[in-house]
Amino acid sequence: MDIRQTVCFLLTATVAFAVSALAGRWLIPWLHRLRFGQTIREVGPSWHQKKQGTPTMGGMLFLVGMTAALLAAVPICCLLAPKVPALALFRTNGAITRFFAGVLLVFGCAAIGFADDYIKVVKKRNLGLTERQKLVCQLVVAAGYVTSLFLCNEGRMYVPFAGEVALGWWYIPLGIFIVVGATNAVNITDGVDGLCGSITVIALIPLLVLAGYYGAMGQGLIAAAMIGGILGFLVWNLHPAKVFMGDLGSLALGGVLCAVAFGIDRPLLLIPVGIVYIAETLSVILQVTYFKLTHGKRLFKMSPIHHHFEMCGWSETTIVTVFSAVTLIGSIGALLLAWYA
């Protein structure tokens, strides 16, 4: 990774962190005044009821930070490389399309989450869009994004141990499946103070490193901006949380992971970096399946699995620490796969 590129990523992340952290001083009181408080599910852990009324839609913090950082990235890059036109920094094939499609994916996912959160807040219940409504919206956003990438890479995808594989038109349904699955998996993981944000920062770091390594400047800037934005958000979200990210935030985080991974043509790396998201999703599937097959028995004390560990006596801080460590191991594995497989 070029030193100027590294400095650009660091400065971009710093801008995002500063904007996100400072914005919390105004956004959180504003959400309180609007009474945009989270409604806690009755079926959740009983001690979560004390979180009733904590402002939601806090994902706006890292989205604002990301936006400010990306806007600042162009002059930052030009200052570091004054003789290079700004657009020339996007050197890879179809890089400009990949960059703007990735940004639109993030905000498209955030828009779906906003609609879901808004319905919850207005109706004062922990239900928003119906599952069908949410799925249709996600399919539309994912289809638009994956199709735009297909036009750039003609359906090619890097597969560990097999190299670059030309999938042809199969790239589109597979890509849609990955995007929808990943965004929903991240959404399921959001349920403990600081959990979703912490593991997403760790999951994004190897993708940022690979974006720099492969010269994918646009994806690197997106990853760096979101990492900084999330860290600024965590100033307000670590236990005890003063604001929740809401579906607006968690769906946007799923979108940014896909935007960077697909942007460098390595979406399968979402498996190792997203090992916690996958475990959370599988725990829900297994719980529901086992409940139906046994006519009411439960495999876990509660799902997703972070609630199971809560019911076993783990503190929220312990859960965040352990799950972050697991994500770190998966992220190291992703780098090894990318470089040696």
Side-chain angles (χ1 to χ4, degrees), residues 62-79:
F62 50 73
L63 289 173
V64 168
M66 173 186 170
T67 302
L70 290 179
L71 290 174
V74 173
I76 288 172
C77 292
C78 289
L79 285 172

Side-chain angles (χ1 to χ4, degrees), residues 136-326:
V136 169
C137 292
Q138 289 175 318
L139 288 172
V140 170
V141 170
Y145 173 71
V146 173
T147 301
S148 69
L149 257 66
F150 176 80
L151 298 175
C152 292
N153 63 14
E154 299 179 344
R156 292 184 175 86
M157 180 185 296
Y158 178 83
V159 178
F161 304 106
E164 189 177 83
V165 177
L167 299 174
W169 288 101
W170 286 105
Y171 178 89
I172 294 177
L174 176 61
I176 293 173
F177 174 78
I178 294 173
V179 171
V180 173
T183 52
N184 281 315
V186 176
N187 181 233
I188 288 172
T189 305
D190 182 33
V192 170
D193 294 353
L195 176 61
C196 193
S198 297
I199 64 175
T200 302
V201 166
I202 297 170
L204 278 172
I205 290 174
L207 298 178
L208 169 61
V209 172
L210 292 173
Y213 181 76
Y214 296 121
M217 190 68 180
Q219 279 60 52
L221 291 174
I222 291 173
M226 186 57 88
I227 287 171
I230 297 171
L231 290 174
F233 167 75
L234 287 174
V235 170
W236 306 100
N237 183 245
L238 289 177
H239 185 72
K242 296 177 178 63
V243 67
F244 300 141
M245 67 173 65
D247 283 4
L248 179 154
S250 58
L251 291 178
L253 294 187
V256 79
L257 286 165
C258 292
V260 181
F262 273 91
I264 60 175
D265 293 329
R266 283 156 175 78
L268 295 184
L269 293 181
L270 290 173
I271 296 174
V273 303
I275 186 66
V276 168
Y277 307 128
I278 294 170
E280 295 271 22
T281 304
L282 286 176
S283 71
V284 174
I285 295 172
L286 290 172
Q287 181 84 321
V288 172
T289 303
Y290 189 79
F291 186 85
K292 290 181 178 179
L293 290 176
T294 59
H295 305 289
K297 294 183 179 180
R298 298 179 186 276
L299 187 61
F300 304 104
K301 293 184 177 181
M302 187 176 292
S303 67
I305 200 165
H306 58 256
H307 286 322
H308 170 80
F309 289 114
E310 273 195 285
M311 301 295 284
C312 290
W314 288 27
S315 69
E316 295 190 39
T317 302
T318 300
I319 292 171
V320 172
T321 302
V322 172
F323 282 33
S324 295
V326 172

Side-chain angles (χ1 to χ4, degrees), residues 9-31:
F9 291 159
L10 288 173
L11 289 175
T12 300
T14 301
V15 171
F17 171 80
V19 172
S20 179
L22 290 173
R25 295 180 62 88
W26 291 274
L27 179 67
I28 295 173
W30 179 65
L31 291 173

Side-chain angles (χ1 to χ4, degrees), residues 23-38 53-61 114 117-118 121 124 233 236 242-246 248:
R25 295 180 62 88
W26 291 274
L27 179 67
I28 295 173
W30 179 65
L31 291 173
H32 270 296
R33 288 195 297 271
L34 292 177
R35 298 183 180 179
F36 277 16
Q38 178 73 33
T54 301
T56 188
M57 296 196 200
M60 286 188 282
L61 288 176
F114 173 82
D117 287 334
Y118 186 77
V121 169
K124 297 297 180 185
F233 167 75
W236 306 100
K242 296 177 178 63
V243 67
F244 300 141
M245 67 173 65
L248 179 154

